[in-house]
Every structure is written in structure tokens, then in C-alpha cells.
Amino acid sequence: MAAKATPQEGAETTYKRLENDRNPYTKRAEDCAVLTIPSLFPKDSDTGSTNYTTPYQSVGARGVNNLASKLMLAMFPPNEAFFRYQMAQEQEAQVASGDGAKTKIDEDLAAMEKVVLKFFEGSGHRVTLFEGIKQLVDAGNVLFYWTLEGLKLYRLNRYVVERDGMGNVLTIVARDRYSKASLPPELLKASKLDDDATSATPVDVYTHVYWDGENWQSYQEIGGEAVAGTESTYPKGKSPWIPVRLSKIDGEHYGRSFVEEYYGDLLSLENLSKSIVQMAMIASKVVWLVNPNGITQVRRLNKATNGSYVAGREEDIKPVQLQKFNDMQVAKGTADGIEARLSYAFMLNSAVQRSGERVTAEEIRYVARELEDTLGGVYSILTQELQLPYIRVTTANLMTSKALPDLPDGLVEPTVITGVDALGRGYDLNKLVQFIQTLESLGEVAWSRLKIGNVISRIGMSLGLDVSELVMSDEEFAAAQQAQQAAAATGQAAEQAVTQAAQQQIPQTA
């Protein structure tokens, strides 16, 4: 874990000190947004009334939206678990030898997963996470603040972060700008605004989060003074503040964006697209040149109706032509080549989901595999800095609110399944199918030693189904077997009685 960070200075002072190190990253993020989606990363001085210049090409915007959508689909698939709960290794070893005990524990953990997934789908966090993934693609950095009411997002120009040499977070300072009318009562009292301040007077509130060596500490500050009553302490792994990078650069506090890697192609395509559009507009303008010494009268041509005859010579009037066709073809060919490269990089050429139908598990698996091939190690860092911290803080807060059983720390740990295995328990189903097929090839001896009840339960968990109401328990199965045997015995006795009675009625013959 990160080394101890003691707040030797206030939140606002820390923010301004670390702001100088952050400014180059925000400048690059603004430049990348200009070529993709300008409103995605506005300048700090921009407001809702700011008019942004629309790029001449749409490849950047389409690429950001497409890549963010595919990352969201692979990392947080709808109605599919992107994580699983697992017991600690020591506890798992203790129950592994128990008959069916491990299966029962897995069923309980699967039930906990369903509670978390139900909260996730109903909390609205998915919307904010998608917005955050777009920030990662375009700006490379984003900060989330987790609450039961919703997930709050901070763009890079609204927070600073400090990391140690291993990349572990030491300090986070987030800046919120409120109006006087929207300030909470405790913050309004601490703001010490003048009585003549209007309701629209802006107030900057700084939230300082730092690691003290054992826990995360946080407090809020206004005007250089800490606000009493805003102090909070979070155990390791349970902080609601989640800073995320798209890529890890050793020795840097912030990451780099995906768009930044292709900034040269995007800038070239923007300039070429602008030139082509402007030249096309010039070429589409129709202007006629008239020979002043010719016999054709322009006035008669203008007044002539459709299909009428006018005296004149064709060579007296000619349209203006640019004679730049070959030059424009060179520009268009270059632009097409750049667009093809960008389309491949942003995965615009891959269409896997069928229109008008639901997304299947195989389609999600295809997207995950393609992202793994295209983005390489992006999955690894997003797992460590986004998925895993998110599910840990969600679990901790749901335990606090009694939505989940309050388990001791270290007993159960969430595990994120990444890459092709990001389909949750569907990967286990493939293993189970292969296992059963292998047993079949070994013959009846191996098949007879299979605990079929546990296999059925695990298949149901892999499919995300609650099999408790579908499959008989061991006791129910034993009772059903006894009832079947008793019915068979009763039927056999009745058949024998009927046979004996029939035999008695047959007359004896000599």
C-alpha cells in the first residue's frame, strides 16, 4: 500500500500546488476534445452557453462513442455479473472436503452477487460510468465519488491527485463550485459570505482525501479553513473516492488518453476534411463568363423560358472551372487512408451486435476478445483502478445498509473477471461442459462417481439461475425414490394378486 501522507498544508493550498503538474494533461485533454467531442472536456471557464466549434470530420466523435460503448459492454455487461465473490484461501480449504458444503457456500455468494447487481442496475451508476469511460478515452483520467444516491464524476480539470513511485494514490483534492443558493447549510455557515452576496455568488469547496498509513481521511475546506463536521475515515479498500487512469506511465501522477495516441492522424484528417469541404463549396459555386465582344446577349438568356430559342454562340458563355480535380483527388485519397487507420484503431469497422435483437453472450464474448486484442493492457489497469474498487466500496456500503450480510473483513473477497472471461460465470459453464464430456469418455466407472446434485447446482449458478425451486434437494430426491419404489412394489403386488385370482377361476381339467 502507499506510504503515509500527512497533510502538512490545507486542501486549497495542496490543490494549487498540484495544479501546475496537472495543467499539461488538461491542455492535452482539451486539444483531444476539439477533434472528437468538444463538449466532452470543456475549459474551466466554459459555461452552458458556450458555443463549441464543430469538427469538420466525425470520425473522432464516432470513435470515442463506439470505443466507450464497447468498453462499457465488456466491463459492465447488462444483467451479467462482471465479478464474483470468493472465499479466502484458508476458509475455502477448510470447507473443501465437506460434502456439498462448498456448493452451498457458492450458492450463498451467488445470491449476494444478485443483490449487488440489482443495486447496480437500479442505482443509475451505469450512466455515470459510461460518461466516465468516455472521459478516459478522451482525457485519460477521471475521478468517481460513490454514494448510495448516485455516482458523482469529476473531470480532470476539477481534481488533482498525487501518487507514489509505485502508482499508489497518496492524496486527492477535488474542487466543487457551488452557488450560494445551492450550498448545504453547514457549508453555507462556514463560507462566511457577506450579507450582500447574491444567490448566484460562486463558492469553491475543496475536499481533501489522503492516506495516513492505516486509513483514508477526508475533510472539506472553504476559504482556506476546514469545515467542522465534514471529517470522515474510510478503511483500506473502502474509500468512495475512485481515481482512474486509462494507462499507467511510471513516474507520472496521471494517465494518458487513447485519443492522444492517435492525435496526429486526427489532426491531419481534420485539416484535410476542412480543406476538402471548403474546396467542394468553392467548386459547387456556378459562375458564367461572358465574352464582352460576343453576339450572345445575356439579357435574352436570363429572360428566356424553358425550351425557348435564343440567338447566340456557345463559345460566348462558359462556366468557370477550377481545374483542381487531380489535386482534390490527392487530398481525398490521403484523407481516406487516414480515416481507414482511425476506423481500425477505434473499432468502427467491427459490427457484431445484430440490429433489433438482444445482445447475446457470444456477442459480448466477441467484443471482449476484440477489445483485448486492440487495447492490450487497458483491461488490467481498469480492473485494478475501476472495477475492483467500485465493487469493494459497493459491497461495504451495502453491508452497512444491511442489504448484504455483514461479513468479517477478509472472509470474502470480490474477484473481477477480465478479458474474454469478463462474462462472469459463463466461463465456468464452459469448464463444466468440458469436464462432463471428459468423464463420459472415461466410461461408466468415472461417471458413476460424479456427484450429480452438485453438478446441477453449479450449472445453474454458471447460467445465473436460482435452481432451488427447479431441482430437488437430496432429501426430496431420496423421498421421491422411496415413493417410486413403493409404488412399483404396490403395483407388482397388485399384478400378482390379479394373476392368482385369475388362475383360481380357471376350471381344473383332467
Side-chain angles (χ1 to χ4, degrees):
M1 186 59 193
K4 181 176 180 180
T6 304
Q8 302 292 342
E9 52 192 5
E12 184 175 0
T13 304
T14 303
Y15 185 91
K16 292 181 177 179
R17 174 176 61 85
L18 298 177
E19 193 175 20
N20 293 329
D21 183 66
R22 184 206 62 188
N23 285 339
Y25 297 89
T26 58
K27 180 61 171 63
R28 285 192 289 267
E30 292 170 359
D31 294 340
C32 291
V34 169
L35 299 177
T36 54
I37 307 176
S39 60
L40 190 60
F41 198 90
K43 296 181 180 179
D44 201 32
S45 57
D46 291 348
T47 63
S49 59
T50 301
N51 292 323
Y52 297 101
T53 302
T54 303
Y56 281 85
Q57 45 78 33
S58 62
V59 176
R62 288 170 51 217
V64 170
N65 286 318
N66 182 72
L67 194 57
S69 298
K70 292 193 174 186
L71 279 170
M72 188 70 188
L73 177 63
M75 294 173 58
F76 302 97
N79 300 320
E80 291 282 348
F82 61 91
F83 70 98
R84 71 175 61 174
Y85 288 119
Q86 290 183 338
M87 294 188 63
Q89 188 173 2
E90 295 181 0
Q91 285 78 6
E92 187 175 5
Q94 294 175 1
V95 300
S97 59
D99 187 13
K102 188 174 185 304
T103 299
K104 180 62 172 63
I105 292 174
D106 287 341
E107 291 176 351
D108 294 338
L109 295 180
M112 291 176 57
E113 293 173 14
K114 291 182 179 180
V115 173
V116 176
L117 289 174
K118 183 178 180 180
F119 167 81
F120 175 71
E121 297 296 343
S123 63
H125 287 188
R126 179 182 292 275
V127 178
T128 308
L129 284 170
F130 178 66
E131 182 186 357
I133 292 176
K134 289 204 295 185
Q135 288 289 329
L136 289 173
V137 175
D138 203 273
N141 301 268
V142 72
L143 173 67
F144 294 104
Y145 176 59
W146 195 103
T147 66
L148 283 172
E149 293 75 21
L151 197 63
K152 188 173 182 179
L153 181 145
Y154 290 85
R155 291 191 300 270
L156 182 58
N157 55 4
R158 294 172 52 198
Y159 76 95
V160 294
V161 64
E162 188 174 27
R163 303 175 186 267
D164 63 11
M166 298 298 295
N168 299 310
V169 178
L170 297 175
T171 303
I172 303 170
V173 183
R175 177 174 61 86
D176 290 282
R177 179 161 292 175
Y178 297 95
S179 63
K180 178 184 176 182
S182 62
L183 271 176
E186 63 275 9
L187 297 181
L188 179 61
K189 182 179 180 181
S191 64
K192 299 179 181 180
L193 291 174
D194 297 334
D195 295 336
D196 56 350
T198 64
S199 59
T201 301
V203 179
D204 286 338
V205 179
Y206 295 88
T207 304
H208 194 180
V209 185
Y210 62 94
W211 174 253
D212 68 358
E214 297 180 356
N215 297 291
W216 288 101
Q217 306 290 343
S218 73
Y219 67 93
Q220 290 184 308
E221 181 181 291
I222 298 178
E225 295 184 7
V227 180
T230 60
E231 300 85 0
S232 298
T233 301
Y234 309 106
K236 176 184 177 181
K238 298 180 180 180
S239 171
W241 298 91
I242 308 175
V244 190
R245 300 170 294 178
L246 186 71
S247 60
K248 177 180 179 295
I249 307 296
D250 287 337
E252 296 187 10
H253 302 299
Y254 305 91
R256 302 297 181 97
S257 71
F258 187 81
V259 174
E260 184 180 340
E261 297 178 2
Y262 298 93
Y263 183 81
D265 272 353
L266 283 169
L267 182 61
S268 299
L269 181 61
E270 173 71 11
N271 293 331
L272 286 171
S273 299
K274 181 178 180 180
S275 299
I276 292 173
V277 170
Q278 290 176 344
M279 288 297 296
M281 293 175 64
I282 295 173
S284 64
K285 184 178 180 179
V286 179
V287 178
W288 298 88
L289 293 179
V290 181
N291 184 2
N293 298 321
I295 64 173
T296 305
Q297 297 183 13
V298 178
R299 178 175 55 83
R300 289 184 178 182
L301 284 177
N302 290 334
K303 291 183 177 181
T305 60
N306 187 27
S308 60
Y309 297 90
V310 178
R313 293 185 304 180
E314 182 180 355
E315 58 268 19
D316 287 345
I317 298 178
K318 292 183 179 180
V320 176
Q321 295 183 357
L322 294 180
Q323 304 296 335
K324 300 287 289 182
F325 177 79
N326 292 332
D327 295 338
M328 293 183 67
Q329 284 297 107
V330 172
K332 183 181 182 303
T334 306
D336 289 345
I338 296 175
E339 183 174 350
R341 295 200 300 265
L342 289 173
S343 297
Y344 178 82
F346 285 98
M347 301 171 61
L348 292 173
N349 294 329
S350 59
V352 60
Q353 182 179 349
R354 295 163 291 173
S355 60
E357 300 184 24
R358 295 181 59 188
V359 180
T360 65
E362 180 59 31
E363 289 167 349
I364 299 174
R365 186 179 295 110
Y366 180 88
V367 171
R369 187 183 300 112
E370 191 176 25
L371 285 169
E372 184 73 20
D373 294 340
T374 304
L375 300 183
V378 169
Y379 266 123
S380 301
I381 190 168
L382 291 183
T383 296
Q384 296 299 319
E385 296 195 1
L386 176 57
Q387 291 176 290
L388 194 55
Y390 175 84
I391 194 59
R392 280 176 175 168
V393 67
T394 302
T395 302
N397 282 274
L398 291 181
M399 286 182 179
T400 303
S401 62
K402 306 302 181 183
L404 290 177
D406 191 5
L407 301 177
D409 290 340
L411 180 62
V412 174
E413 273 293 322
T415 302
V416 176
I417 312 300
T418 60
V420 178
D421 302 341
L423 307 177
R425 297 188 180 276
Y427 185 65
D428 288 344
L429 179 61
N430 294 333
K431 286 187 174 181
L432 283 171
V433 171
Q434 294 177 6
F435 175 70
I436 294 173
Q437 291 174 348
T438 304
L439 287 184
E440 289 179 343
S441 65
L442 295 178
E444 294 184 1
V445 177
W447 185 260
S448 62
R449 299 186 64 177
L450 187 68
K451 297 180 180 179
I452 192 64
N454 291 346
V455 172
I456 294 174
S457 297
R458 288 185 177 273
I459 290 176
M461 287 186 296
S462 300
L463 293 172
L465 295 175
D466 183 6
V467 298
S468 60
E469 300 297 330
L470 303 177
V471 181
M472 291 186 294
S473 64
D474 293 340
E475 293 79 9
E476 293 173 336
F477 182 73
Q481 289 287 92
Q482 291 178 0
Q484 185 176 0
Q485 293 174 1
T490 303
Q492 184 177 5
E495 183 178 356
Q496 292 176 355
V498 171
T499 302
Q500 291 176 0
Q503 290 177 352
Q504 291 175 0
Q505 293 178 358
I506 297 175
Q508 298 292 330
T509 58

